[in-house]
Amino acid sequence: MSVNQQAHTGPPYGQPQPGYQGYQQPAYGGQPLPGVPQSQYGAYNGPMPGYQQPVPPQGYFPSLGFPSKGSPVSLNSDTSTLAPNFIGSLRAPPTSGAPPPASGASLPSGHLAYSQFGHGDVQNGIPASAAPMQRPPASQPFLPGSAPTPVSQTSTFQQYGPPPASVQQLSNHMSGMTIGSTTASGPPPAGLGYGPPTSVPPVSGSFSATGSGLYTPYTASQGPPPTSMSQGLPLAQPPFPGQPIATQRLPTQVPGFAPPPSSTGIGPSSYPPTTGAPRPPTMPGPPLPGQTVAGPPTSQPNHVSSPPPPSTMAGPHPGPPMSGLHGPPPPTHPPQPGYQMQQNGSFGQVRGPQPNYGGAYPGTPNYGSQPGPPPPPKRLDPDSIPSPQLNELPPQQKPRHRIDPDAIPSPIQVIEDDRSNRGSEPFVTGVRGQVPPLVTTNFLVKDQGNASPRYIRCTSYNIPCTSDMAKQSQVPLAAVIKPLATLPPEETLPYLVDHGESGPVRCNRCKAYMCPFMQFIEGGRRFQCCFCSCVTEVPPHYFQHLDHTGKRVDFYDRPELSLGSYEFLATVDYCKNNKFPSPPAFIFMIDVSYNAVKSGLVRLICEELKSLLDYLPREGNMEESAIRVGFVTYNKVLHFYNVKSSLAQPQMMVVSDVADMFVPLLDGFLVNVNESRTVIASLLDQIPEMFADTRETETVFAPVIQAGLEALKAAECAGKLFIFHTSLPIAEAPGKLKNRDDKKLINTDKEKTLFQPQTSFYNNLAKDCVAQGCCVDLFLFPNQYLDVATLGVVTYQTGGSIYKYAYFQLETDQDRFLNDLRRDVQKEVGFDAVMRVRTSTGIRATDFFGAFYMSNTTDVEMAGLDCDKTITVEFKHDDKLSEDSGALLQCALLYTSCAGQRRLRIHNLSLNCCTQLADLYRNCETDTLINYLAKYAYRGVLGSPVKTVRDALINQCAQILACYRKNCASPSSAGQLILPECMKLLPVYLNCVLKSDVLQPGPEVTTDDRAYIRQLVTSMDVAETNVFFYPRLLPLTKADVDSDSLPAAIRNSEERLSKGDIYLLENGLNIFVWVGVNVQQGLIQNLFGVSSFSQISNTLSTLPVLENPFSKKVRSIVDMLQVQRSRYMKLIIVKQEDKLEMLFKHFLVEDKSLSGGASYVDFLCHMHKEIRQLLS
């Protein structure tokens, strides 16, 4: 939606309008138009109130609301020049070549000039060569489009001067900026769509003073065209490039010729005609002169050009045509059956109807015999077959864009292409520097010497040889490492290698562990380190002969020589105080203050623990878990329980001196579950009864952690505290906090204090916990401000997890809480962990992000590390790298398993090195890059104003893309936005990060929410950040009830929703089920078990279990998604036009956000402007 859009009043979204049924307009002779597809865009929440549609004059058709189509992003993967993606040119085409058609050449009114190429794919870069080009399969669908007829407008005139002889160079920056010599009369919008819209919408582009035939310059005497809007009308859509505006002189036009557009660009101008001037609808034209029949030439970079501004005055246009566009225009043909333009400009078979949209496009209607001008051109697009209901909307409510959203890179398309191209083959890790399939693709990994992408993903798999190159590109070199990642059942877990008393074989100098890249020399007696080149003797017990290739003959028998990931059994030298560790312990610490008891939480926890304790984690083949358990309850004082197996009843001991915490019992506090089963069951029955009548509302917090820490110290073991806590700890005790929540600090320099802890007390406590291996998992149940930023410090620095259930209610939240608790207790976790990342000479690890503690610059220490946590490591150059040897990483994690075994887990990865920037850009991974950038930004808010952090992010990404444009892309007009093939989603994903609650909170987001999200994202893996920032949106009504597959996802924009459908949106924390107002009654009955839309309850936390195929399918989809995520997602039912819809719309990330975030289209324009400023 345009930044400059004013909103409407107009009938509520969704009421049928008289006269718009099926586009039957009297002007078309009252006949319904055969084959006009209905648009896929559901209703749009609209421009703002305050404007009535003026009555159009006779003979003029108001905008029929076809979604406008700019021309395509032709994203061709040009392997030779690194597949630039051009999005729009902001300059006119070059003025060389054959003359254009004679002025006034036009089509007879009955004819529709179609070409087989799809409409107006204006190739506007370097001159076209006629060489056809092979296209790679990974293309985006091309969506040729339709141009709506513009709405009439008040006449605000502005002086317009004659053009220069050459084509005027437009540097149109899309949002009411000055163009050429023309100035827009409206004020420019505040910060390009980052602030609230201005009251007078400026025009999003001005005229280029060039024209041929129909587009002739105006001189002062002819009456200047308007360039500003004075009464808040929605801007009408310009026609598609290559489609002339059909003027009153229609009958004189010559078939087959279309004048060139006056300018093409990403932000076309949007001018409605002046009031009173009748305006017939636009007419389709053939492709521009200069377009070759064979598709874009090999040398032609990918680009998207967008529509020219239409001329505003109807009537004859004097003036000579401009000279010079390439070549004679190709003849026009009817569309070729079965072939369509793909989004990258190549031709491909039309795909069958996609499951996410309605039926196939019915074909070109023949208007030959029909009187009057033809209707706007249709969209011919297999991937976006429109869905119904748009024709029910009044015209001013239909979405209008300055750029066609279908012509810009689509995350959904990229994900689908990767799935189809790379999902079927296993990913074999034997080759250096291979870019893995996307995280959204299901694939099998075969470890042949490099760690699986499930353990390590990099921002680039081909890193610059020099630091100068790295600085020039600004692409951060980082790895997101998930050392204990869970593998799918069909992949083998890392082998455990036991070298006996001598321990793992390591390099003498840098202490790197034996791995597949070590080079054996001198017949196998010594090996040269691949990290530091030092030569080390092979221990006698490890000696083996080499074969004729220099490989050891036991190469395939030893995991550490042939695999990327494996484990070593650690010797006593790797243990604290040189003695093997005891098995870890779990301590459950339950808040029993008034709130916790009254809400039913205490009873719920105690009931669940009775059964959950049978599922504590255990080593593969062990009969029972080695983990011991203990129990504490607390409010203002702490209650410890003796559950020794010899007791008939549990004993309670109260410690009221919270200022000097100690554990009142040693024997009987930590016990084996099986031995003390009856005593534990008795305790869990008694706790809810004991505190049922409590009146104590105040709680302590720090002493609870201290108590757990002291208990683990006394037992000389590592372990985990599970703390269930409800309120701000205001009782007199160490670590007491005050309520410091202040919304007024948002957008000020003091905002950063909201993310920082109130006191340093918790940092010191965290340090003690890490030293003991005491990890803290925190379950929060707040009804008001709790200060997550402070309470979370210990959890964060010990490697623990925070779970938050605001306004906890038993009936709606218990499922989610219990599922989270079960998973948290059962998941694989390593205790007392230390991780170090070694690199080969030339780069080194310089920065780390995640939930851990660091006491020096190299060792990442975690009291606990579970299978969901990642550590992100950034690398910097400290020397030159060579293309021959590449670069190596080795991540070594030392930890205690849940059975008390000390182990080393090793992951190795080899990367390529390059001297050409093009190789770097060809081997990046955008999802990992966004994961890194989000973590970098989320750490930045601790020390800098949020605005500074946002600006730095935009600037860095603009530099990355500008460097590509300058050094790797084919030379072309500065008006084209060119994106590297593997980074074409960087702008859309970056915009999602910028609009996230941490960096741009809406009014309903609490300070605690922001602190919680900030800590959560910091240890997320790449798959989690991918769906968190760009949620998955599935049309449930398109799901095939007979198959196991998910329906095809659609893009996150409101205009993709149809009000006759039901959609599911998931982001890793929530699942929304959105129900449109026009959903068939049968579907509502099948899914919700009620007879009408109005009866659907939006307080449901689970879908009712109904015995019908649709209900089963939807519930299986929800279950499938829940299993994929590390947290149980909260299910929220959203009815269209309900108050919860605002929350749902917050996740439609391609749209403008209520908190001021730009839409994808606007942000792309903004990025383009930033890149152009850097280039100039």
Side-chain angles (χ1 to χ4, degrees):
M1 282 130 265
S2 152
V3 199
N4 313 324
Q5 216 142 23
Q6 294 294 311
H8 57 30
T9 49
Y13 145 134
Q15 252 82 4
Q17 278 297 94
Y20 281 83
Q21 296 302 334
Y23 300 115
Q24 295 178 29
Q25 291 292 330
Y28 289 116
Q31 302 160 344
L33 302 177
V36 175
Q38 297 147 314
S39 168
Q40 94 210 31
Y41 298 154
Y44 148 55
N45 61 343
M48 340 235 358
Y51 135 69
Q52 290 296 326
Q53 170 90 348
V55 181
Q58 266 320 108
Y60 153 69
F61 319 117
S63 167
L64 297 181
F66 283 95
S68 105
K69 295 286 153 205
S71 68
V73 183
S74 97
L75 299 172
N76 19 336
S77 274
D78 161 23
T79 39
S80 59
T81 60
L82 211 86
N85 301 330
F86 284 19
I87 304 194
S89 147
L90 296 184
R91 295 196 179 181
T95 54
S96 63
S103 109
S106 53
L107 290 161
S109 59
H111 279 270
L112 203 49
Y114 267 101
S115 89
Q116 79 216 52
F117 303 108
H119 284 298
D121 176 24
V122 179
Q123 297 277 345
N124 182 15
I126 51 176
S129 83
M133 163 178 186
Q134 287 301 106
R135 289 278 161 238
S139 71
Q140 292 208 239
F142 157 62
L143 314 169
S146 54
T149 36
V151 182
S152 70
Q153 178 218 335
T154 52
S155 41
T156 313
F157 282 92
Q158 182 179 325
Q159 200 57 26
Y160 194 76
S166 74
V167 175
Q168 187 170 356
Q169 298 291 300
L170 286 193
S171 52
N172 153 354
H173 284 165
M174 290 83 186
S175 287
M177 312 221 148
T178 311
I179 297 184
S181 57
T182 317
T183 50
S185 1
L192 245 144
Y194 285 78
T198 44
S199 54
V200 181
V203 175
S204 57
S206 313
F207 280 99
S208 120
T210 61
S212 88
L214 299 170
Y215 304 107
T216 35
Y218 279 91
T219 54
S221 62
Q222 287 166 338
T227 50
S228 80
M229 321 288 292
S230 59
Q231 294 186 6
L233 307 176
L235 302 180
Q237 264 323 102
F240 203 75
Q243 294 161 4
I245 309 308
T247 64
Q248 247 91 335
R249 299 177 58 208
L250 274 177
T252 65
Q253 293 188 326
V254 177
F257 286 97
S262 51
S263 85
T264 43
I266 206 161
S269 349
S270 310
Y271 304 113
T274 47
T275 324
R279 169 73 172 275
T282 57
M283 272 199 39
L288 260 204
Q291 215 167 346
T292 51
V293 179
T298 349
S299 59
Q300 175 79 38
N302 316 337
H303 51 299
V304 178
S305 318
S306 30
S311 54
T312 38
M313 308 289 283
H317 298 290
M322 282 295 297
S323 71
L325 283 151
H326 313 306
T332 55
H333 300 287
Q336 259 183 324
Y339 278 84
Q340 237 131 2
M341 193 76 146
Q342 299 298 329
Q343 188 160 338
N344 66 354
S346 59
F347 300 97
Q349 282 286 0
V350 177
R351 279 196 277 183
Q354 292 279 78
N356 36 348
Y357 295 112
Y361 172 64
T364 318
N366 174 18
Y367 297 110
S369 59
Q370 212 174 296
K378 309 303 163 307
R379 348 180 353 137
L380 307 171
D381 168 35
D383 213 28
S384 306
I385 305 291
S387 56
Q389 283 90 29
L390 198 70
N391 50 357
E392 296 169 18
L393 296 180
Q396 72 266 39
Q397 264 178 284
K398 295 174 185 160
R400 293 192 174 85
H401 288 288
R402 296 157 309 142
I403 302 178
D404 170 19
D406 283 336
I408 53 183
S410 155
I412 304 303
Q413 192 59 42
V414 171
I415 288 168
E416 280 306 315
D417 288 345
D418 193 76
R419 276 194 188 131
S420 56
N421 294 334
R422 305 197 64 184
S424 49
E425 294 292 305
F427 178 69
V428 181
T429 71
V431 183
R432 182 174 85 186
Q434 272 186 113
V435 183
L438 298 181
V439 283
T440 42
T441 300
N442 271 329
F443 59 99
L444 207 66
V445 180
K446 291 201 170 153
D447 185 341
Q448 290 192 359
N450 282 293
S452 160
R454 302 189 207 288
Y455 294 123
I456 307 183
R457 276 187 178 265
C458 295
T459 52
S460 179
Y461 288 78
N462 201 332
I463 59 181
C465 284
T466 64
S467 61
D468 289 347
M469 243 178 105
K471 281 195 192 98
Q472 187 184 358
S473 74
Q474 286 286 313
V475 175
L477 305 175
V480 179
I481 305 174
K482 195 176 182 183
L484 298 178
T486 315
L487 298 183
E490 54 274 18
E491 290 178 21
T492 321
L493 291 169
Y495 290 100
L496 182 58
V497 178
D498 184 357
H499 281 317
E501 303 242 324
S502 59
V505 178
R506 303 175 69 177
C507 166
N508 270 345
R509 184 198 290 161
C510 71
K511 299 290 182 263
Y513 295 86
M514 180 53 65
C515 72
F517 312 118
M518 297 289 189
Q519 194 65 45
F520 286 88
I521 52 175
E522 297 176 22
R525 286 192 296 281
R526 305 169 83 184
F527 69 90
Q528 184 168 25
C529 176
C530 51
F531 294 94
C532 69
S533 304
C534 173
V535 173
T536 302
E537 293 285 330
V538 173
H541 71 87
Y542 197 69
F543 173 78
Q544 187 53 268
H545 295 286
L546 309 183
D547 66 11
H548 65 287
T549 64
K551 257 188 197 167
R552 284 172 54 123
V553 294
D554 62 353
F555 177 81
Y556 291 108
D557 304 331
R558 291 196 176 270
E560 73 274 22
L561 298 181
S562 53
L563 299 176
S565 302
Y566 42 87
E567 291 196 311
F568 290 121
L569 204 54
T571 57
V572 75
D573 307 334
Y574 292 88
C575 303
K576 244 182 215 161
N577 310 325
N578 276 4
K579 66 181 210 193
F580 284 112
S582 312
F586 282 1
I587 304 175
F588 297 91
M589 315 183 94
I590 306 167
D591 175 347
V592 289
S593 63
Y594 177 74
N595 273 350
V597 174
K598 189 188 68 165
S599 67
L601 181 63
V602 173
R603 185 175 297 278
L604 182 69
I605 294 168
C606 292
E607 279 302 313
E608 178 61 28
L609 286 180
K610 283 187 209 168
S611 56
L612 188 54
L613 294 176
D614 289 332
Y615 296 96
L616 297 176
R618 55 176 183 255
E619 289 296 333
N621 48 10
M622 289 171 65
E623 285 297 305
E624 62 176 54
S625 175
I627 293 173
R628 291 169 297 162
V629 297
F631 302 89
V632 173
T633 56
Y634 67 94
N635 39 44
K636 265 166 76 166
V637 296
L638 276 77
H639 323 104
F640 291 81
Y641 297 92
N642 183 347
V643 282
K644 198 173 180 179
S645 55
S646 55
L647 296 174
Q649 280 295 323
Q651 295 172 348
M652 171 162 134
M653 298 184 183
V654 181
V655 176
S656 52
D657 181 9
V658 288
D660 185 18
M661 204 61 227
F662 67 98
V663 179
L665 73 159
L666 286 178
D667 193 25
F669 178 62
L670 293 178
V671 296
N672 174 294
V673 174
N674 280 341
E675 289 168 15
S676 298
R677 183 175 297 280
T678 50
V679 194
I680 291 172
S682 169
L683 169 68
L684 293 172
D685 283 335
Q686 288 176 39
I687 287 174
E689 308 309 325
M690 239 183 315
F691 297 101
D693 303 322
T694 185
R695 286 277 160 271
E696 185 55 75
T697 55
E698 292 189 353
T699 56
V700 296
F701 184 71
V704 181
I705 297 176
Q706 287 170 324
L709 173 61
E710 292 304 322
L712 294 176
K713 271 186 186 163
E716 295 188 343
C717 69
K720 187 182 263 201
L721 313 182
F722 295 84
I723 302 179
F724 304 91
H725 187 79
T726 60
S727 58
L728 192 70
I730 53 174
E732 263 324 309
K736 171 187 170 180
L737 300 178
K738 59 181 194 292
N739 186 338
R740 54 162 186 164
D741 189 18
D742 187 358
K743 281 282 182 88
K744 292 200 284 295
L745 297 181
I746 291 179
N747 293 327
T748 67
D749 285 354
K750 290 208 172 100
E751 184 173 6
K752 57 184 180 228
T753 59
L754 297 175
F755 296 110
Q756 297 163 354
Q758 274 188 47
T759 143
S760 61
F761 181 87
Y762 288 95
N763 292 73
N764 298 327
L765 181 53
K767 189 174 166 183
D768 298 341
C769 287
V770 172
Q772 181 55 42
C774 166
C775 177
V776 179
D777 278 3
L778 192 50
F779 292 82
L780 297 172
F781 305 87
N783 288 331
Q784 57 206 36
Y785 179 70
L786 194 75
D787 204 347
V788 173
T790 307
L791 297 188
V793 165
V794 179
T795 298
Y796 186 63
Q797 296 193 10
T798 57
S801 307
I802 302 182
Y803 298 85
K804 181 165 156 289
Y805 311 88
Y807 308 109
F808 178 81
Q809 286 181 304
L810 215 53
E811 58 278 8
T812 53
D813 295 313
Q814 83 170 38
D815 270 356
R816 182 164 63 109
F817 162 57
L818 294 179
N819 274 291
D820 282 342
L821 177 59
R822 285 168 198 152
R823 185 170 164 152
D824 198 56
V825 167
Q826 295 172 38
K827 68 184 169 188
E828 184 189 356
V829 58
F831 294 96
D832 223 343
V834 182
M835 185 183 102
R836 182 176 284 194
V837 178
R838 293 180 174 83
T839 53
S840 54
T841 316
I843 53 169
R844 61 194 168 90
T846 55
D847 207 351
F848 301 86
F849 303 82
F852 52 74
Y853 174 78
M854 289 187 85
S855 54
N856 58 34
T857 57
T858 55
D859 295 335
V860 174
E861 300 172 51
M862 293 153 290
L865 171 69
D866 64 52
C867 55
D868 297 323
K869 294 279 183 304
T870 64
I871 294 93
T872 302
V873 186
E874 186 180 9
F875 303 97
K876 289 263 183 355
H877 286 76
D878 56 8
D879 203 346
K880 281 201 172 94
L881 293 163
S882 90
E883 282 187 281
D884 300 338
S885 54
L888 300 173
L889 320 176
Q890 184 178 78
C891 161
L893 176 78
L894 175 65
Y895 71 100
T896 302
S897 74
C898 56
Q901 200 177 52
R902 202 71 175 145
R903 295 181 176 182
L904 283 152
R905 181 168 287 201
I906 313 296
H907 297 298
N908 302 289
L909 186 63
S910 59
L911 302 172
N912 285 327
C913 296
C914 58
T915 51
Q916 299 296 318
L917 282 164
D919 292 325
L920 163 69
Y921 284 102
R922 215 180 260 127
N923 291 280
C924 287
E925 226 234 338
T926 301
D927 293 321
T928 310
L929 188 57
I930 287 292
N931 179 286
Y932 165 83
L933 290 171
K935 290 172 181 177
Y936 183 78
Y938 281 16
R939 185 178 67 184
V941 298
L942 290 172
S944 309
V946 172
K947 185 176 185 317
T948 311
V949 173
R950 290 166 48 80
D951 291 346
L953 266 186
I954 293 173
N955 183 45
Q956 180 166 8
C957 288
Q959 286 189 311
I960 291 171
L961 297 174
C963 172
Y964 172 79
R965 172 65 199 261
K966 187 173 164 195
N967 299 289
C968 312
S970 318
S972 60
S973 137
Q976 287 164 331
L977 171 55
I978 309 181
L979 303 171
E981 179 60 32
C982 64
M983 276 193 199
K984 64 187 173 198
L985 298 181
L986 187 61
V988 62
Y989 287 162
L990 177 70
N991 191 33
C992 297
V993 174
L994 294 170
K995 292 202 287 193
S996 62
D997 291 338
V998 174
L999 298 181
Q1000 194 161 38
E1004 73 297 334
V1005 180
T1006 66
T1007 306
D1008 275 345
D1009 286 333
R1010 296 177 75 194
Y1012 171 63
I1013 294 294
R1014 195 190 78 77
Q1015 295 197 8
L1016 202 59
V1017 168
T1018 306
S1019 47
M1020 274 186 184
D1021 73 4
V1022 180
E1024 286 172 318
T1025 51
N1026 174 274
V1027 78
F1028 179 76
F1029 289 116
Y1030 192 93
R1032 176 148 57 159
L1033 182 59
L1034 306 172
L1036 293 178
T1037 23
K1038 306 282 192 289
D1040 178 359
V1041 292
D1042 300 321
S1043 90
D1044 294 336
S1045 60
L1046 292 173
I1050 58 173
R1051 291 171 65 171
N1052 284 193
S1053 172
E1054 192 180 353
E1055 60 184 21
R1056 309 278 166 174
L1057 305 180
S1058 142
K1059 50 184 195 271
D1061 287 327
I1062 302 174
Y1063 297 86
L1064 179 149
L1065 181 144
E1066 62 126 357
N1067 73 338
L1069 297 183
N1070 300 301
I1071 288 181
F1072 293 91
V1073 174
W1074 183 90
V1075 187
V1077 286
N1078 292 357
V1079 172
Q1080 292 167 9
Q1081 207 173 333
L1083 284 176
I1084 291 175
Q1085 183 71 52
N1086 283 345
L1087 190 56
F1088 300 104
V1090 296
S1091 56
S1092 72
F1093 178 80
S1094 58
Q1095 290 174 302
I1096 300 170
S1097 160
N1098 52 14
T1099 56
L1100 291 175
S1101 60
T1102 51
L1103 292 168
V1105 177
L1106 303 170
E1107 285 304 310
N1108 66 69
F1110 186 58
S1111 173
K1112 285 178 182 166
K1113 176 66 184 176
V1114 172
R1115 283 180 289 116
S1116 82
I1117 288 175
V1118 171
D1119 294 343
M1120 195 191 301
L1121 299 180
Q1122 292 286 20
V1123 170
Q1124 289 175 11
R1125 305 293 168 215
S1126 62
R1127 290 168 184 248
Y1128 195 83
M1129 296 181 278
K1130 180 178 184 172
L1131 182 76
I1132 301 168
I1133 307 292
V1134 179
K1135 292 155 75 176
Q1136 187 178 355
E1137 294 166 14
D1138 186 45
K1139 56 183 184 299
L1140 273 173
E1141 204 183 18
M1142 297 311 271
L1143 179 61
F1144 172 75
K1145 284 179 182 171
H1146 177 67
F1147 296 100
L1148 297 176
V1149 291
E1150 289 199 20
D1151 296 342
K1152 200 163 166 178
S1153 73
L1154 291 166
S1155 51
S1159 69
Y1160 175 20
V1161 167
D1162 291 335
F1163 184 70
L1164 198 60
C1165 297
H1166 181 72
M1167 282 301 285
H1168 189 186
K1169 189 183 110 195
E1170 296 283 321
I1171 292 165
R1172 293 185 60 176
Q1173 280 176 347
L1174 289 171
L1175 290 174
S1176 60

